[in-house]
Amino acid sequence: MGRAGQRFLAWAPAIGWAILIFWGSTDALSTEQTSRFIIPFLHWLLPHASPTLLNELHDFIRKAGHFSEYFVFSLLLVHAVRGGKPGWSIRWAIIALIIAAGYSASDEFHQWFVPGRGSSPWDSLLDTSSAATAQFVFWALVRNQRTIETVENADRSIRIRRDRTGSK
């Protein structure tokens, strides 16, 4: 496969996820639409909960959705940006974060024009915070993996030295 094909494969998941985010910004996942199945489910789960509590939980679930979708999007973006290279780089993380923040802002702008949807800079801030959190988690996982590999390599070196010297 050529270089262009490899780049496409690296970017395809992020592009696909961006399309899902765009679809989610239509009326299909507006508060009115999601309340039709989330509120009844919450009412079934919590039969004695007040309507106010059910609405607050519905809002929380929707915000958790924002957080989750941009967390995943940010990870897919850093995967695409690094182009198959191993590890983590602050440059890759910043590029992924800038793309996620820009897409979030354009998503909120799009929602401004969708009947039944609202646009909020707070949602964009939540999305961007989620993307930053994903980059931090990814950095921590890569760092932890490097630490584990360093310890394993050190242990292997000690065993090799012991084998050569015959000590236990």
Side-chain angles (χ1 to χ4, degrees), residues 11 68-69 85 128 136:
W11 281 94
S68 301
E69 71 185 359
K85 295 176 185 153
T128 303
F136 175 77

Side-chain angles (χ1 to χ4, degrees), residues 121-143:
W122 296 111
D123 281 350
S124 188
L125 180 62
L126 176 63
D127 299 340
T128 303
S129 299
S130 170
T133 301
Q135 293 308 314
F136 175 77
V137 168
F138 186 62
W139 166 80
L141 290 172
V142 169
R143 183 171 182 246

Side-chain angles (χ1 to χ4, degrees), residues 36-142:
R36 291 179 182 176
F37 58 90
I38 293 176
I39 297 287
F41 174 74
L42 290 171
H43 184 65
W44 171 81
L45 195 62
L46 306 164
H48 303 293
S50 69
T52 302
L53 177 60
L54 294 177
N55 284 325
E56 288 174 359
L57 289 172
H58 178 236
D59 287 343
F60 176 79
I61 290 168
R62 290 179 54 78
K63 296 307 176 196
H66 267 272
F67 191 88
S68 301
E69 71 185 359
Y70 275 87
F71 189 96
V72 171
F73 187 45
S74 185
L75 293 176
L76 294 173
L77 286 169
V78 78
H79 170 75
V81 169
R82 71 185 193 163
K85 295 176 185 153
W88 181 88
S89 158
I90 188 71
R91 180 177 172 269
W92 299 335
I94 290 171
I95 291 169
L97 187 58
I98 289 170
I99 294 169
Y103 195 78
S104 173
S106 71
D107 183 47
E108 290 303 316
F109 182 74
H110 165 247
Q111 288 182 30
W112 184 289
F113 300 101
V114 176
R117 295 302 305 247
S119 179
S120 169
W122 296 111
D123 281 350
S124 188
L125 180 62
L126 176 63
D127 299 340
T128 303
S129 299
S130 170
T133 301
Q135 293 308 314
F136 175 77
V137 168
F138 186 62
W139 166 80
L141 290 172
V142 169

